[in-house]
Amino acid sequence: MSVLEEILNRVEKPARYTGGELNSAHKEKYDVWFVFAFPDTYEIGMSNLGGKIIYHTLNQREDTLCERVYAPAPDMEKELRENGVELFSLETRRSIREADLIGFTLQYELSYTNILNMLNLAQIPLKSSDRESLTPLICVGGPCACNPEPITDFVDIVFLGDGEETTNQIIDLLIKAKKNGLSKHEFLLKAKDITGIYVPSFYKDSYNDDGTLKSLEPLYDAPKKVKKAVVSDMNSVYYPKEFVVPYINIVHDRAVEEIFRGCIRGCRFCQAGFIYRPIREKSVETINMQSKALIESTGYDELSLCSLSTSDHSEVNKMLTTLIDWTVKDNINLSLPSLRVDNFSDELVEQLNKVRRSGLTFAPEAGTQRLRDVINKNVTEDEVIRTCTKAFDNGWTSVKLYFMMGLPTETMEDIEGIANLGMQVIHAFYNNPNRQKGTGVQVSISCASFIPKPFTPFQWEPEDSMESLKQKQKHLLESIPTKKIRVSYHETPTSLLEGVLARGDRRLGKVILRAYELGCKFDSWDDQFNFDAWMQAFNENGIEPHFYTHRKREFSELLPWDHLDYGVSRKFLENENKKAHENKTTPHCRIKCAGCGANKLNGGHCDARS
């Protein structure tokens, strides 16, 4: 028995590390070895749609092998270190140190120390400046890549925006570089000219006396503004016909069909709603064809439609009719997350009645109309109650409502509004003459702590303090008069760290490194998060975390991500911020184009305007 086999016999869930799943890749010959790395456990990483797309996109190429690696759980890490086994890929169980490219996806800021831990487990130098050879190249992409500055010390390449086409371009370039014997620097000089590729080492930062960013100067003729990559046609871009099917349960264990990218809504708190613009839809025919192929190749009995707002697809009723025609017949459960309160139509309810019944989830986000106007939610209390009543009419007995706490201009009256809205939903259930006698209702209220993010109208706003959030959480619980409402909320120390890293600059690299040296990893896990160690890392490096969270920024301040172009203009975001403080809303994109500018990255086209 090999050392690795002995290790796998001793750890929890060995299937996290064995590979060999249905539809996983196996190749004998290839020119480039790419490792897709998710800095969290297998169950979480295997649920990531972006990883599935990149994995199968690259394995379509004859010259490329893409494999996977996930953060080992603490018991597996202990075994790897004690037995001198380097972190390995699932498919071939080779050390990822031998890979040509390692691509980490940045889905949340609290995964940064896991990236360092995974590199260390593979005996790869942590800092980009200490890796002199051409390979392995350490790359990052994903939503948090829109401000990668806190981790730029550790990465060679940042993928901005959609990654399908730029990843192929980087691989084409690397094949030529290896053939021609180029150095790492020579390769990066060519890579910087690809749209959607940002080379952090080609920029030099400097700071004002007050600690704000003074400049980020490009070197080596690097662009002053790096534009994100945009996939123009969602119908023609590659989408997997199959997914790797795990041997163990994962967080989202089902087939997933992406139906469009972007969002028409413009909620001012929502980073995804801005950085994924412009809106680009798939046709109903493409959605149906790809969904059938996934079900046939995986054997899943559940299909989930993925987007930021499923019911905002311009042909949602036709799409559901087409899908339900065969999913009901084949006993496939059709899952529709991300439904909107304001377009929960009779036609949509009729379609939902044909699929397996589950609880409904809606996101009013704020408890009062004033605050919903501030965040541009464009949803009224009447619409929430009318939608819930319609659901109760059709047999639903549980509703989950998502809110945020700590929003700009929020007061205790807004917090009480969350409880009041929950009670209004309960009254709507019991006042409904069509409800089944003897049944009860359950309303779940989930409150996330609001964190201002880059490329949103609230990127200049201060984050609410931990003390204030705790008071608001306490007040919400005291405002709930019935056990029919369940309340859950996020712990505040992790919110502080997430806020620092979300809007941080390059000076945070030494803090992240020190926190890792002090044992920090799996920071998004409550049982692993070490707040004191992080505060020690800040103190030792002379950096005040509240500088990044509690401070309101002026529009004139240079922000750490201002050299990155995600399409939405800074002027548009400034105007939206001003409107928020005036309690004014902006209609969604299909009512009136607000001129955000994102369409310019797509040849002037946006599906919201078609």
Side-chain angles (χ1 to χ4, degrees):
M1 185 182 292
S2 69
V3 173
L4 182 54
E5 287 172 329
E6 291 178 6
I7 289 174
L8 292 174
N9 278 330
R10 293 194 293 267
V11 298
E12 182 186 15
K13 298 184 181 178
R16 288 169 166 166
Y17 316 105
T18 55
E21 308 100 321
L22 177 68
N23 297 328
S24 57
H26 302 280
K27 291 182 184 178
E28 296 296 329
K29 294 182 179 180
Y30 45 88
D31 298 315
V32 169
W33 181 27
F34 185 107
V35 174
F36 175 81
F38 195 100
D40 214 317
T41 59
Y42 177 92
E43 293 93 320
I44 297 171
M46 276 288 287
S47 302
N48 176 250
L49 179 58
K52 298 175 195 289
I53 292 173
I54 293 296
Y55 181 83
H56 292 285
T57 296
L58 297 186
N59 282 317
Q60 288 293 299
R61 299 176 59 129
E62 291 185 5
D63 58 11
T64 304
L65 172 63
C66 182
E67 300 190 32
R68 298 161 294 144
V69 68
Y70 304 96
D75 62 337
M76 183 62 169
E77 180 188 343
K78 180 172 180 289
E79 292 285 352
L80 293 176
R81 293 194 185 280
E82 289 180 353
N83 290 278
V85 177
E86 295 181 5
L87 185 63
F88 55 87
S89 66
L90 267 62
E91 282 76 2
T92 55
R93 299 187 185 179
R94 288 177 292 167
S95 170
I96 64 170
R97 178 170 49 86
E98 301 170 24
D100 294 303
L101 295 113
I102 302 173
F104 285 92
T105 180
L106 307 180
Q107 295 295 316
Y108 32 88
E109 292 87 354
L110 298 185
S111 66
Y112 292 168
T113 52
N114 274 12
I115 294 175
L116 301 192
N117 196 43
M118 291 170 74
L119 293 176
N120 179 262
L121 280 166
Q123 299 297 305
I124 297 172
L126 300 186
K127 290 192 173 183
S128 173
S129 57
D130 294 332
R131 299 190 298 267
E132 296 180 358
S133 61
L134 175 59
T135 61
L137 289 159
I138 307 303
C139 315
V140 296
C144 293
C146 71
N147 178 28
E149 296 306 295
I151 59 164
T152 50
D153 284 350
F154 315 111
V155 304
D156 302 308
I157 292 174
V158 180
F159 288 82
L160 304 179
D162 298 332
E164 295 98 322
E165 294 168 353
T166 45
T167 307
N168 277 321
Q169 290 173 281
I170 283 291
I171 287 175
D172 290 340
L173 185 63
L174 183 58
I175 290 173
K176 292 177 183 176
K178 290 173 70 176
K179 190 177 295 182
N180 296 327
L182 297 188
S183 67
K184 177 180 176 180
H185 183 73
E186 290 169 328
F187 169 81
L188 293 176
L189 281 173
K190 294 181 180 295
K192 71 173 171 51
D193 296 326
I194 298 173
T195 300
I197 295 298
Y198 168 46
V199 180
S201 61
F202 289 175
Y203 296 79
K204 175 64 178 172
D205 57 331
S206 62
Y207 299 88
N208 298 306
D209 292 340
D210 64 359
T212 58
L213 183 64
K214 182 178 182 179
S215 67
L216 200 59
E217 292 295 328
L219 311 172
Y220 308 111
D221 219 17
K224 288 186 177 180
K225 276 266 192 181
V226 187
K227 292 183 178 181
K228 77 166 183 176
V230 174
V231 168
S232 295
D233 186 358
M234 293 296 292
N235 289 311
S236 62
V237 72
Y238 175 80
Y239 194 79
K241 297 180 177 65
E242 57 192 27
F243 286 167
V244 177
V245 182
Y247 289 126
I248 58 175
N249 290 331
I250 60 176
V251 175
H252 300 300
D253 202 2
R254 53 194 178 228
V256 181
E257 170 64 10
E258 183 183 22
I259 62 174
F260 68 92
R261 286 184 192 170
C263 184
I264 66 173
R265 295 290 169 171
C267 299
R268 292 173 181 140
F269 59 86
C270 181
Q271 186 182 57
F274 292 104
I275 66 171
Y276 291 130
R277 291 186 178 195
I279 294 96
R280 291 146 291 153
E281 287 188 347
K282 287 181 185 176
S283 69
V284 171
E285 292 72 26
T286 299
I287 293 168
N288 192 51
M289 177 185 67
Q290 292 178 349
S291 298
K292 282 185 175 180
L294 281 175
I295 292 297
E296 289 171 6
S297 68
T298 61
Y300 278 121
D301 61 1
E302 182 173 358
L303 172 67
S304 179
L305 302 183
C306 177
S307 71
L308 293 176
S309 181
T310 301
S311 49
D312 280 336
H313 191 284
S314 61
E315 295 188 291
V316 61
N317 291 323
K318 178 183 175 184
M319 176 181 69
L320 292 180
T321 299
T322 304
L323 291 172
I324 287 171
D325 278 348
W326 61 270
T327 54
V328 170
K329 179 166 61 72
D330 294 345
N331 292 316
I332 305 298
N333 181 34
L334 187 61
S335 175
L336 305 174
S338 307
L339 296 175
R340 288 276 307 189
V341 167
D342 58 341
N343 58 9
F344 193 73
S345 63
D346 290 330
E347 293 85 359
L348 185 55
V349 171
E350 184 181 341
Q351 301 288 11
L352 290 174
N353 275 329
K354 298 175 185 175
V355 302
R356 195 180 307 168
R357 183 60 53 86
S358 60
L360 286 174
T361 300
F362 299 108
E365 305 294 2
T368 63
Q369 193 59 49
R370 183 201 68 83
L371 193 54
R372 285 193 290 274
D373 290 345
V374 168
I375 64 176
N376 203 46
K377 187 62 186 177
N378 283 319
V379 164
T380 66
E381 181 172 311
D382 285 347
E383 285 172 328
V384 173
I385 301 307
R386 189 162 58 244
T387 294
C388 290
T389 299
K390 192 176 295 183
F392 297 149
D393 274 343
N394 285 272
W396 273 277
T397 58
S398 65
V399 174
K400 187 168 188 176
L401 301 176
Y402 280 115
F403 294 90
M404 278 189 297
M405 196 175 280
L407 290 161
T409 78
E410 184 178 73
T411 67
M412 285 300 183
E413 184 179 339
D414 298 309
I415 298 301
E416 292 166 16
I418 296 174
N420 294 338
L421 188 55
M423 281 306 301
Q424 291 299 317
V425 172
I426 287 177
H427 293 326
F429 178 83
Y430 286 106
N431 292 335
N432 182 9
N434 297 323
R435 74 177 177 92
Q436 187 178 341
K437 299 303 179 187
T439 57
V441 67
Q442 184 67 60
V443 176
S444 298
I445 288 176
S446 177
C447 284
S449 299
F450 169 68
I451 297 166
K453 293 292 179 85
F455 296 104
T456 70
F458 291 150
Q459 65 182 0
W460 295 278
E461 295 297 321
E463 182 179 334
D464 212 353
S465 69
M466 289 194 293
E467 294 74 21
S468 173
L469 285 169
K470 286 178 181 176
Q471 290 173 4
K472 290 175 180 178
Q473 290 166 352
K474 181 173 182 288
H475 189 63
L476 175 60
L477 292 176
E478 291 170 348
S479 302
I480 301 290
T482 173
K483 291 183 178 179
K484 295 185 185 300
I485 298 178
R486 293 178 186 165
V487 176
S488 61
Y489 48 78
H490 292 183
E491 293 301 316
T492 55
T494 55
S495 298
L496 170 65
L497 180 59
E498 185 181 338
V500 172
L501 296 177
R503 293 188 290 174
D505 51 49
R506 295 188 172 196
R507 293 173 295 188
L508 292 179
K510 56 190 178 183
V511 177
I512 295 170
L513 178 59
R514 184 58 183 142
Y516 168 65
E517 292 169 348
L518 291 170
C520 293
K521 54 197 170 191
F522 286 106
D523 296 308
S524 61
W525 295 47
D526 289 341
D527 63 339
Q528 299 288 325
F529 181 61
N530 189 336
F531 183 71
D532 292 339
W534 271 101
M535 292 303 103
Q536 180 182 335
F538 280 110
N539 290 335
E540 288 183 9
N541 285 285
I543 290 180
E544 169 54 59
H546 293 142
F547 173 80
Y548 297 97
T549 56
H550 290 177
R551 183 174 59 86
K552 183 175 177 64
R553 293 142 174 85
E554 299 300 323
F555 290 150
S556 58
E557 181 177 333
L558 180 66
L559 302 174
W561 52 91
D562 274 342
H563 61 302
L564 307 179
D565 184 358
Y566 269 73
V568 178
S569 74
R570 201 181 200 270
K571 194 66 186 173
F572 171 80
L573 296 177
E574 288 180 11
N575 289 336
E576 285 295 296
N577 181 283
K578 292 173 184 175
K579 291 174 73 173
H581 286 280
E582 296 168 355
N583 300 349
K584 292 181 179 178
T585 61
T586 299
H588 71 66
C589 301
R590 291 206 180 105
I591 294 175
K592 182 182 179 182
C593 175
C596 74
N599 64 317
K600 76 178 186 289
L601 294 185
N602 195 31
H605 179 71
C606 175
D607 282 1
R609 300 169 68 179
S610 56

